[in-house]
Amino acid sequence: MNTVDEILDFAIEREQQAADFYSSLADRAQSAWMKEMLLSFSQEEMRHKGKLKSVKLGDRLLKADQHVQDLKVSDYLVDIEPTADISLQDALIVAMKREKAAYRLYSDMARTIDDPELKQMFLGLAQEEAKHKLYFEVQYDDQIMRDN
Amino acid sequence: MSLKDLISPFYVWQRAFEKPYTQKRPIEDRPGAPRYRGFHMNSEDCIGCGTCESICQNRAIDMVPVEGLEQRPGDSGLRPRFDYGRCCWCALCVDICTTRSLHLSNHYAWVTEDPDAFHFTAGTDPMPWNENSLGYRRDDDYHLLVHDRIEMEMLGPDESVRGFDEVMKGYTEEQAVLEADRCVECGICVATCPAHMSVPDYIRSVRKRDYETGLRLLYETNPFSSTCGRICTHRCETVCVMGYQGDPIAIRFLKRAIVDRVPAERYREILGDDVSDNGRTVGVIGAGPGGMSAAYYLRRLGYGVTVYEAQARAGGMLRYGVPSYRLPDDQLDKDIDYIRSLGVEVRFNTLVGRDVTFQSLLDTHDAVFLAVGLNQPSALRINGEEHPRVLSGLKVLDDVANGLDPGIGRKVAVIGGGNVAMDAARVSRRMGAEVTVLYRRRIEDMPADPDEIHESQAEGCTLVAQAIPVEIKPAASEAQVTIVWGEAEMVADDKGGRPRPVLQEDRMHEETYDCVIAAIGQGGQIDFIPSDYREQIEFKWNKFVPGDYQQTGLAKLFVGGDIANSRADAISAIEDGHHAARGIHRFLGGSADA
Ligand SMILES: Cc1cc2nc3c(=O)[nH]c(=O)nc-3n(C[C@H](O)[C@H](O)[C@H](O)COP(=O)(O)OP(=O)(O)OC[C@H]3O[C@@H](n4cnc5c(N)ncnc54)[C@H](O)[C@@H]3O)c2cc1C
Ligand code: SF4
């Protein structure tokens, strides 16, 4: 990945893959409300994809200067193998962990690259993923950890 | 007539050049004395309770709506309007004001060309004295109202941990009347009560020692009054106006004061047992407070009601969750037995999805009300959780309710800060264990009732706040388990939610216990609803989102209770059941205002 456009294409493709991941899980889900939940995760990823597309078209800037809170919720939760009877709790864990992996990927890339423009782009993407992770962490905190 | 008499009237002229005693413009030049009782002022602290209106002997006060002010919990949205054709400036309204928002300014004259202007709404209408700092204010030590709550006898912590006897002993009749006497009957609490119980009216019946009327009033909106008189989350008390300067009225315990004085055998005579049959039937899934409340109001409307209940006894989480030291079984039975006595049939040990299908209920009944609650404990999902010494809080409470030994050992850690965690902790203390409660947030964030938190501490439970469990490890002995937890820092939530804990990896702790009881939250189980039906129903996260009157997109299905509301307490489930009963009646062609 040598150009900003290539990086964005990569990131857009990853969002699409994430959306596909959730919708295929939704197809398999046994419970209707999990189906709906997973479809909403998939739509969330499509929204991310749409945002990156508008960055690519130059309609939007990707900033990397914001502090995004890391609640570290996913850090100490076990890895979950998604299955057809996945629960809401486990689906949220999967989602948090996926966003965290994406955040790590982009931050690592930013660290290894010298070109300032590309570095900035990776940092911007990392920040986006951190925001997505925060979204799922907050949901986990509110919906699952109600009494904790 | 003498000459003197003739000219004396002209002597007055000499006065014309003296300084006059009267003043030309008294309004501007003569301020009232500092504590003069002039026109009313009202601050933003006013919540429109109307106590001033009630006490005014001259009927000079009307509570009126004010533009831009909405009714909200704890505020009627009304404000006092004063009629100066009637006011005699006695200041009783100031002396009684529950929020101390009302004062009298020392302005006493008001000249205007508007003939109707002797009416104004204090604090809202732009009057020149609104910022006045002088005038009459009630002295700090002068009270017309009794601010201290009448204490209820309760078991001391040393005694309460020795067994499962009810901790709160209930008011004596004299105590109840004294407590009821403190209520100013403002009714602010009614809007906040999820069931909108007619609180001031039933409190009045306590005052009059008229328990029959009291019971009738309670049952208009709540057929679980013995239960709620003990364990209700008493949201009403959080807005009670008496709480502004003292203790809120013990509304929950006054409800109990009524039911404690009416023996179960008299319920049918007082409340009436004349239930007609309208030939239609409703199936109810779950005999918790939500299901049984719906059953009660449906039966009263003439429906044949069959409740399908998975367990061997009715009451739901009130039976299998709430321990008997807070809610004795016979008190829950008092509520449930009366409902059943009206002809509500409960099919016990009948799990919908296993013993009967959801479809068969739809086919058999004209409508179905579903209130299956939340009985699936959320897992911790941290490493090592499958250790056999990690127990679920719900299971521990269920065992205790069924007279089984949950096998907790002598040293217990409870994880969580809600009702289940507090009850699991207090039950463990009663079984002789040393108890530590680990909670991720601050104590003030705990969802459990503050009374319970306080009582658990008094009974010797140690609460450790801002403690995040991160791992479960085997201990040296198989009968024990080690928990690793880290300290948390709280960070503000940008979107205004409750502060969120963040693990501090450099401050970790490890401790070994005989068991760890996890009580971090619960989810529901509704897989028995076929998926093509579920597609017609709206859900958000793991709950139903019912429409008007608790109806779902599947027209015959109404839902309520913990599985369909965010408050997850008994009174909300009871209200959902009542609301759904009215909805079902409308749906089946009955009158809208049943
Ligand atoms: C430990 C604990 C303490 C609590 N303390 C308080 C308190 O102090 N104050 C308060 O107001 N609230 C308290 N609550 C909450 C309160 O108990 C619940 O809000 C209330 O019971 C919810 O009522 P419900 O009817 O929705 O569900 P539940 O009470 O959960 O009842 C649901 C019923 O449905 C049955 N059921 C489930 N699935 C099926 C099926 N498929 N077929 C047939 N039957 C089924 C269940 O067996 C159960 O009997 C507490 C809860 C717990 C767990
Ligand atoms: S209980 Fe409190 S809020 Fe309710 S009517 Fe009485 S004084 Fe007013």
Side-chain angles (χ1 to χ4, degrees), chain A residues 31-33 36-37 70-72 76-78 80 89-90 93 138-139 141-148, chain B residues 379-383 416-418 439-441 447 468 498 500 502-503 505 520 527 534 539 541-542:
Chain A
S31 115
W33 72 18
E36 211 169 300
M37 210 65 249
D70 179 6
L71 293 181
K72 302 185 190 170
Y76 47 91
L77 295 176
V78 288
I80 300 290
Q89 178 175 18
D90 289 351
I93 296 178
V138 165
Q139 300 310 332
D141 202 39
D142 284 347
Q143 309 301 332
I144 308 297
M145 301 289 228
R146 268 171 185 278
D147 282 358
N148 195 29
Chain B
L380 291 168
R381 284 289 183 259
I382 56 177
N383 274 320
Y439 178 57
R440 284 166 74 236
R441 300 167 215 264
I468 302 186
R498 54 182 180 170
R500 303 194 185 273
V502 179
L503 180 70
E505 281 100 347
I520 63 164
D527 284 353
R534 275 186 272 172
F539 295 101
W541 295 111
N542 48 5

Side-chain angles (χ1 to χ4, degrees), chain B residues 261-369:
Chain B
R261 280 173 187 78
V262 185
E265 308 78 68
R266 293 208 54 220
Y267 270 38
R268 294 194 61 172
E269 163 208 334
I270 296 168
L271 297 169
D273 50 7
D274 48 337
V275 185
S276 55
D277 278 312
N278 67 15
R280 292 165 179 255
T281 71
V282 179
V284 172
I285 311 177
M292 292 307 283
S293 160
Y296 173 73
Y297 290 107
L298 285 162
R299 189 71 201 107
R300 283 254 169 242
L301 289 165
Y303 293 89
V305 183
T306 309
V307 183
Y308 301 85
E309 169 53 53
Q311 300 275 0
R313 289 191 292 168
M317 279 305 170
L318 301 177
R319 175 83 63 192
Y320 296 104
V322 182
S324 57
Y325 58 84
R326 290 207 290 133
L327 175 61
D329 262 11
D330 59 344
Q331 293 303 325
L332 181 57
D333 286 339
K334 193 174 179 184
D335 291 336
I336 288 172
D337 289 350
Y338 172 63
I339 299 174
R340 292 182 65 195
S341 78
L342 298 177
V344 168
E345 186 200 347
V346 186
R347 292 206 190 147
F348 292 108
N349 302 309
T350 307
L351 182 75
V352 176
R354 182 193 65 197
D355 304 313
V356 284
T357 60
F358 180 72
Q359 183 62 53
S360 72
L361 302 195
L362 284 186
D363 295 343
T364 320
H365 299 290
D366 295 292
V368 171
F369 177 65

Side-chain angles (χ1 to χ4, degrees), chain B residues 461-472:
Chain B
C461 300
T462 307
L463 305 194
V464 182
Q466 291 170 243
I468 302 186
V470 294
E471 197 185 345
I472 303 281

Side-chain angles (χ1 to χ4, degrees), chain B residues 195 197-198 201 213 215-223 271 296-297 578:
Chain B
M197 297 190 74
S198 48
D201 296 340
T213 305
L215 193 74
R216 279 188 215 104
L217 287 165
L218 295 179
Y219 268 75
E220 280 176 7
T221 45
N222 184 350
L271 297 169
Y296 173 73
Y297 290 107
H578 188 185

Side-chain angles (χ1 to χ4, degrees), chain B residues 2 196 199 264 369 522-523:
Chain B
S2 71
H196 306 310
V199 178
F369 177 65
Q522 295 90 245

